[in-house]
Amino acid sequence: MRITEPQVESLSQRELRNESGRVLRAVSEGHSFVLTNSGVPVGRIVPLDAPAPGLTIARPVRREGGWAALAIERKTTAQSLAATLDDLREDRL
């Protein structure tokens, strides 16, 4: 059994501005809209109780790289961090 999403109507920014009452009534009745700007989809208008859309998996996750793969060499100093901070604070006085 496959659950299909109901047909979502496309709605331009101009239609939303000019027919906001009709759109809000339709949303309160359970209808959803895809808001477009110059034909390009920019958002969705859905009822508050509508389920969140599922995330699509574009590719499987790979655990490679990260910070450890950068092999950054840490610099060591003879002076402690506390002593360095004290020196910097003295400059403000």
Side-chain angles (χ1 to χ4, degrees), residues 18-64:
N18 293 338
E19 301 176 22
S20 61
R22 176 188 69 84
V23 172
L24 290 176
R25 279 190 300 279
V27 170
S28 68
E29 294 170 357
H31 297 280
S32 298
F33 297 91
V34 172
L35 186 61
T36 62
N37 188 12
S38 300
V40 178
V42 294
R44 287 181 196 262
I45 301 176
V46 297
L48 285 176
D49 59 350
L55 297 176
T56 58
I57 299 175
R59 61 180 172 82
V61 176
R62 292 181 298 163
R63 189 173 180 117
E64 294 177 4

